[in-house]
Amino acid sequence: MDDQPSEDREAAPRPAIIGAGTMGRNIAVASAVGGQPITLFDVDEDALADAENEIRSTVGTVIDRGVGDTTDVSAVRDRVTYATELPAAVGDAPLTIEAVTEDREVKAAVYEEIEREAPTTATIATNTSSLSITELASSLSHPERFCGMHWFHPAHIVPVVEVVYGDRTTDETVDTATAFLESIGKDPVVVERDIPGFIANRIQSAMAREAWALLESGVASAEDIDRAVKGTFGFRLPTLGVLEKGDHSGLDIHHKVLTELLEEIDRQREPASVLSELVEEGRHGVKTDRGVYDWSDADIERVTAERDQRLLDQLEVYRAARGPPEVPDESEPDP
């Protein structure tokens, strides 16, 4: 899926997104803002209508911040087509991104339908954050055309997407997925071995385990733990990452700190009881008005908009640290 002029991309077969939940609709925004027309499918007409309303609003927010290939908000919104019939969504789609619920059996049933309706050469990608790509691929007739495409919430802003090999995934499949992501301005990271949690979620989960342990043991309040993260290593992460930061600090110092602390860091193999209790009480966060924090009096739409504005600020920092994208020198012939 090489870069094409916008008029050619409008005429070309559209990739499809299966599932109009939070991730599916945000992936649709990312695609449209990046210049790629897309079809968003869901069997639930109400869910699709809700997705369309949110997409229209979100596109406006992102375009107003100068993200994307045009300032024409209407043109970007029109790049998303909505479908409740699977053949219409995937019938000629060169790439299908599955973004349904995180359930193996549900996904397997969806793959059976996609393979029945999609072109035999189509690439199928799953937006799973925890399930094995190899296991999911076992339910397909052509597992070599299947890969992971792990987006991060909110998908229309977070720049990196993990592209994950399964045991039978071909290089061509991964190349197709990464080319699509690059064409819409995303920064693909290739995960060459299918391991639980891939890269980012493994690191994030290790951090979260310690944060919950600190909260449970009364070391500090939730507010202060979050402030310590956001104002120290979290502040540096968009510029330095973890391993690069070690080089800047000195690996000898990094080694000494790990030697001192690793024996003290939490090793529980189950979620902290304070987290389990919140979940059992139905305190699931913003979506239930209460989690670690009390959101019952908050204007959630405003809170979400402010979150996105802060993340868009960080996106500028990330892109500045990455530098401009490489432009191939077309004056030199290929070897």
Side-chain angles (χ1 to χ4, degrees), residues 40-53:
L40 179 62
F41 164 84
D42 203 293
V43 293
D44 187 334
E45 293 184 3
D46 291 337
L48 208 58
D50 184 56
E52 183 172 3
N53 288 333

Side-chain angles (χ1 to χ4, degrees), residues 267-313:
R267 286 181 173 75
Q268 293 298 316
R269 299 181 67 87
E270 300 289 336
S273 60
V274 64
L275 170 58
S276 298
E277 289 166 6
L278 289 172
V279 171
E280 290 167 5
E281 292 170 12
R283 293 175 56 172
H284 297 171
V286 171
K287 61 185 176 182
T288 60
D289 289 336
R290 294 184 73 200
V292 177
Y293 299 96
D294 186 347
W295 302 94
S296 56
D297 294 328
D299 180 341
I300 299 303
E301 185 174 338
R302 181 178 62 80
V303 167
T304 302
E306 291 176 350
R307 177 206 68 188
D308 284 358
Q309 291 292 346
R310 291 194 299 271
L311 289 173
L312 285 164
D313 289 339

Side-chain angles (χ1 to χ4, degrees), residues 131-209:
L131 301 178
S132 166
I133 304 304
T134 301
E135 289 181 14
L136 291 176
S138 66
S139 64
L140 283 93
S141 301
H142 296 282
E144 70 278 3
R145 295 192 284 108
F146 183 79
C147 68
M149 188 185 282
H150 179 210
W151 302 68
F152 296 84
H153 181 68
H156 57 291
I157 299 177
V158 178
V160 165
V161 181
E162 293 176 326
V163 179
V164 189
Y165 276 90
D167 285 354
R168 296 179 63 182
T169 305
T170 64
D171 292 344
E172 181 182 6
T173 295
V174 168
D175 290 345
T176 297
T178 57
F180 166 77
L181 292 167
E182 289 170 348
S183 77
I184 63 171
K186 290 297 182 181
D187 189 6
V189 167
V190 175
V191 183
E192 298 183 5
R193 189 158 60 88
D194 180 21
I195 59 173
F198 316 132
I199 298 172
N201 271 357
R202 291 177 75 95
I203 296 172
Q204 182 174 243
S205 295
M207 177 190 68
R209 179 172 64 180

